[in-house]
Amino acid sequence: MKFALKTTLLATAVGLATLSHANFVEGKDYQVLSNPENIAGDVIVVREFFWYGCPHCYNLEPHMQKWAKTRAKDVAFFQTPAALNSQWEVAARGFYAAQQLGAQEKTHQILFDTVHKDGNRRVIGTQENLANWYASQGVDKAKFNSLYNSFAVTTKIERAKAGAMRYQLTGVPAVVVHGKYVVSGEDAKVPQVVDFLVNKVREEKK
């Protein structure tokens, strides 16, 4: 009897979830790009564009990190620091320099907290401030500075800029699903819409 009750409750929950997903509307909950990117292969690509100085990005981050840990195996997730202007590019270069040094995953949330929880926005204002901050997290300052304007980091910056332009982004946070759909927002609804669109891409691939 208990098993039957649990099954009924589970079916009800699934039904409600399906109903909720069915209510996601183009133009309201997500945008469809007029010139979608052609991504080959079976993997579905989800790309999160952000800036460390953006409070909305900070609010969204825990929801996306939770989603990333439970995403399906056929979904690839990439964090992309938006470099839409020279100010944002400072933090973006720091992100990629730290990534090259294998420190990005360790420092990512801490830097967000430093800016928004601790109120230290100056840390993302200049290369020197960033270098000192990353050094405080155990990153070699000399290596960080050597990578900051390196060809490898500059290439990633140019790709990030090209991606933002291709996806017609004017602000962040923005989550791009398989180069075709764009989701904006800062709450737990965003990953729900992302999952809805991931399923939509799966259906389109059939």
Side-chain angles (χ1 to χ4, degrees):
M1 186 65 179
K2 289 183 178 180
F3 177 80
L5 178 60
K6 289 181 179 179
T7 302
T8 301
L9 290 173
L10 179 60
T12 301
V14 171
L16 289 174
T18 303
L19 178 62
S20 174
H21 286 179
N23 290 332
F24 292 144
V25 179
E26 175 187 340
K28 177 184 177 182
D29 300 304
Y30 64 91
Q31 304 295 326
V32 180
L33 294 172
S34 57
N35 187 26
E37 182 180 12
N38 183 21
I39 300 177
D42 297 328
V43 175
I44 299 171
V45 179
V46 174
R47 192 175 296 276
E48 175 194 12
F49 284 81
F50 72 95
W51 174 49
Y52 281 116
C54 167
H56 307 294
C57 299
Y58 182 62
N59 292 337
L60 176 62
E61 193 60 21
H63 302 298
M64 289 306 298
Q65 287 304 309
K66 182 178 180 181
W67 170 86
K69 292 176 182 178
T70 59
R71 70 185 189 277
K73 292 182 179 179
D74 65 340
V75 178
F77 176 57
F78 300 98
Q79 294 169 320
T80 303
L84 300 182
N85 55 58
S86 58
Q87 181 185 9
W88 291 16
E89 187 174 324
V90 174
R93 284 185 175 276
F95 174 94
Y96 285 126
Q99 188 180 76
Q100 292 288 99
L101 293 169
Q104 179 268 320
E105 186 173 343
K106 170 190 171 185
T107 57
H108 180 65
Q109 187 60 49
I110 301 174
L111 181 51
F112 253 137
D113 288 339
T114 297
V115 174
H116 297 281
K117 187 177 179 180
D118 302 336
N120 183 7
R121 297 183 66 85
R122 293 181 60 189
V123 70
I124 57 173
T126 66
Q127 176 184 346
E128 181 63 20
N129 289 350
L130 265 180
N132 288 334
W133 183 84
Y134 276 107
S136 75
Q137 302 300 313
V139 175
D140 186 294
K141 184 176 178 179
K143 290 182 178 179
F144 177 89
N145 280 324
S146 70
L147 285 166
Y148 186 85
N149 286 307
S150 67
F151 176 78
V153 167
T154 298
T155 298
K156 289 179 178 292
I157 289 292
E158 293 307 314
R159 287 175 179 170
K161 289 180 178 179
M165 185 176 296
R166 182 190 308 118
Y167 304 138
Q168 303 165 32
L169 304 184
T170 57
V172 289
V175 183
V176 181
V177 180
H178 213 60
K180 182 175 182 179
Y181 304 106
V182 181
V183 186
S184 301
E186 58 182 296
D187 56 23
K189 179 182 175 182
V190 172
Q192 293 175 14
V193 179
V194 169
D195 276 337
F196 166 77
L197 294 172
V198 165
N199 287 329
K200 190 174 178 65
V201 171
R202 287 197 187 102
E203 290 299 317
E204 292 167 351
K205 282 177 171 288
K206 291 181 180 179

